[in-house]
Amino acid sequence: MHSEATAKMKHCPILGSACIASQCMMWRWILTKEPLPKANYGMAHGLAHALQPTIFERGYCGAAGAASGSPEMNAS
């Protein structure tokens, strides 16, 4: 997983040039949540984390499949 800025410094074997990150049809975003301040760690931490908005800050090239290393499963 890379930030978009880091990905743009990588080589794209398909384009034969630099990665264009989110401008590419194969770019896949990873949904993440911003870290909570340390003061929120306690019994309500799970609820506070669940209510946080989801952000997009990292992604990966989807040309080689899922980032987990597992093949993507078809729903057919």
Side-chain angles (χ1 to χ4, degrees):
M1 294 354 130
H2 299 288
S3 69
E4 196 163 0
T6 303
K8 288 182 178 182
M9 293 187 292
K10 305 291 182 188
H11 174 77
C12 174
I14 296 170
L15 292 177
S17 61
C19 175
I20 58 173
S22 66
Q23 294 176 2
C24 179
M25 292 290 291
M26 291 180 276
W27 182 258
R28 302 292 180 255
W29 286 108
I30 301 296
L31 300 175
T32 60
K33 295 189 182 269
E34 291 183 29
L36 291 171
K38 203 164 193 135
N40 285 342
Y41 284 66
M43 292 191 64
H45 176 73
L47 178 60
H49 188 265
L51 295 175
Q52 279 185 299
T54 302
I55 59 171
F56 299 100
E57 66 178 17
R58 293 191 160 302
Y60 65 94
C61 178
S68 65
S70 303
E72 292 188 41
M73 302 300 286
N74 291 335
S76 54

